Amino acid sequence: MPKIERFGIIGGDKRQLETGISIQKDGYNVNICGFENANFIVNNLKQDTLYNVINNSDGIILPLPITRDGKTINAPFSSNEISLNNEFFDLIKNKKVFCGMAETLFKYNLQYNNNNIYDYFAREEFAVENAVPTAEGAIEIAMREYNGTINGSKCLITGYGRIGKVLAHLLKGLGAVVTVSARKKEDEAWITLQGYKFAKTSSLPEEHFDIIFNTIPSIVFDARTLAKTAINSILIDLASAPYGVDYNSAERLGINTIKALSLPGKVAPKTAGEIIKNTIYNIIEEET
Ligand code: NAP
């Protein structure tokens, strides 16, 4: 990949703006498009037309997800639609393009040359680093919803993947009594070694937890498990679709359940933007 000195950011939310601000601080030239309604400081980022932004850039950064409707770029701060049409794909065809969730282009059968498109969201280091703002956002919600302190509270985390690991570490640091569930023996070994209590995901304990954090994208909390494990708990569901909770049953049982999605962009857009930047730099370094 040739050296990229000029970046264009097209659409996205605060995270993409923070990505641009951070790249600009590294000395690169950054132009943006699709942020006319961002009524907060966009630093010295130069806003320009779509054509100029693409023309004046070697690397194009597109949002996460790149599209929500399959027709236009996801640009919540713009009232002008940026169409994902042949003209757009023609304009970017000789550029290096970085986007989040490229599979949404496939989903909508959008035709593009995938040789020059790199998906930062698909990278492992992105998911690992993103686990930190996600876990902090989950703890912020827990602090707001729970009428006690996290210190001394009984917390259950279901799932010991990236988010489960970071969350367990942070909660333990705050003095919570942490139980973690998993299904693999190796996870059980690590959970125990780290000083957490272990539970099997398939048979969660029948005991009271003050706060439960679900990270498993599969209905772990069906009606029976909700009744057995989550009555009188605050249940924070962090998992993406199909989520981890039978929401109808949770409502019927009167359980305070919070579906907490897209936390990095909401609670820490600066960090989330820097994570995008670092991942793009890693891709460029590997490809050069
Ligand atoms: P991950 O590293 O893949 O961890 C997922 C965990 O769930 C693993 O422990 C996995 O166990 C377990 N699991 C998956 N399917 C299961 C099943 N059917 N039964 C039992 N256990 C199961 O994922 P992550 O990065 O921690 O992310 C967790 C979820 O949060 C994902 O849905 C992700 O999209 C979402 N997410 C949410 C936010 C937010 O802001 N709320 C931000 C980023 C990501 P095994 O290892 O045994 O498979």
Side-chain angles (χ1 to χ4, degrees), residues 46 162 164 181 243 261 276:
K46 186 179 166 217
R162 307 170 192 108
S181 94
Y243 317 110
L261 296 174
I276 293 174

Side-chain angles (χ1 to χ4, degrees), residues 79-119:
S79 25
N80 306 320
E81 289 190 344
I82 306 169
S83 292
L84 284 163
N85 51 20
N86 290 342
E87 198 187 335
F88 177 80
F89 288 115
D90 251 13
L91 275 174
I92 64 168
K93 78 170 176 243
N94 294 321
K95 309 286 176 179
K96 296 299 169 195
V97 180
F98 306 92
C99 74
M101 295 187 170
E103 75 274 9
T104 47
L105 295 174
F106 287 121
K107 186 173 142 198
Y108 294 107
N109 282 329
L110 290 165
Q111 299 303 316
Y112 69 96
N113 165 14
N114 63 357
N115 291 332
N116 67 337
I117 297 206
Y118 301 86
D119 191 343

Side-chain angles (χ1 to χ4, degrees), residues 134 160-163 183-184 215-218 238 240 260 262-264:
T134 308
Y160 195 58
R162 307 170 192 108
I163 296 173
R183 58 181 171 181
K184 293 199 296 255
T215 71
I216 300 175
S218 176
L238 300 167
S240 307
S262 308
L263 292 177

Side-chain angles (χ1 to χ4, degrees), residues 81-199:
E81 289 190 344
I82 306 169
S83 292
L84 284 163
N85 51 20
N86 290 342
E87 198 187 335
F88 177 80
F89 288 115
D90 251 13
L91 275 174
I92 64 168
K93 78 170 176 243
N94 294 321
K95 309 286 176 179
K96 296 299 169 195
V97 180
F98 306 92
C99 74
M101 295 187 170
E103 75 274 9
T104 47
L105 295 174
F106 287 121
K107 186 173 142 198
Y108 294 107
N109 282 329
L110 290 165
Q111 299 303 316
Y112 69 96
N113 165 14
N114 63 357
N115 291 332
N116 67 337
I117 297 206
Y118 301 86
D119 191 343
Y120 48 80
F121 182 75
R123 305 262 308 187
E124 180 63 17
E125 77 268 32
F126 179 88
V128 170
E129 288 180 31
N130 234 14
V132 177
T134 308
E136 283 194 12
I139 291 172
E140 184 200 327
I141 294 168
M143 284 178 168
R144 201 167 54 227
E145 295 290 324
Y146 181 51
N147 57 8
T149 56
I150 302 296
N151 186 280
S153 67
K154 281 190 70 185
C155 294
L156 169 66
I157 300 167
T158 46
Y160 195 58
R162 307 170 192 108
I163 296 173
K165 287 185 179 77
V166 177
L167 192 50
H169 175 73
L170 295 181
L171 286 170
K172 191 179 171 203
L174 287 170
V177 181
V178 182
T179 301
V180 184
S181 94
R183 58 181 171 181
K184 293 199 296 255
K185 281 289 169 198
E186 68 179 80
D187 284 341
E188 176 176 357
W190 278 111
I191 288 165
T192 310
L193 194 71
Q194 296 293 331
Y196 314 126
K197 293 185 185 176
F198 171 75

Side-chain angles (χ1 to χ4, degrees), residues 4-10 28-32 46-60 91 95:
I4 297 177
E5 302 281 353
R6 305 173 306 162
F7 288 87
I9 299 192
I10 301 170
Y28 298 110
N29 187 57
V30 181
N31 289 331
I32 63 172
K46 186 179 166 217
Q47 305 215 40
D48 211 334
T49 61
L50 179 67
Y51 182 83
N52 284 347
V53 167
I54 296 176
N55 234 10
N56 295 327
S57 307
D58 318 303
I60 306 289
L91 275 174
K95 309 286 176 179

Side-chain angles (χ1 to χ4, degrees), residues 12 21 61 149:
I21 290 168
I61 300 176
T149 56

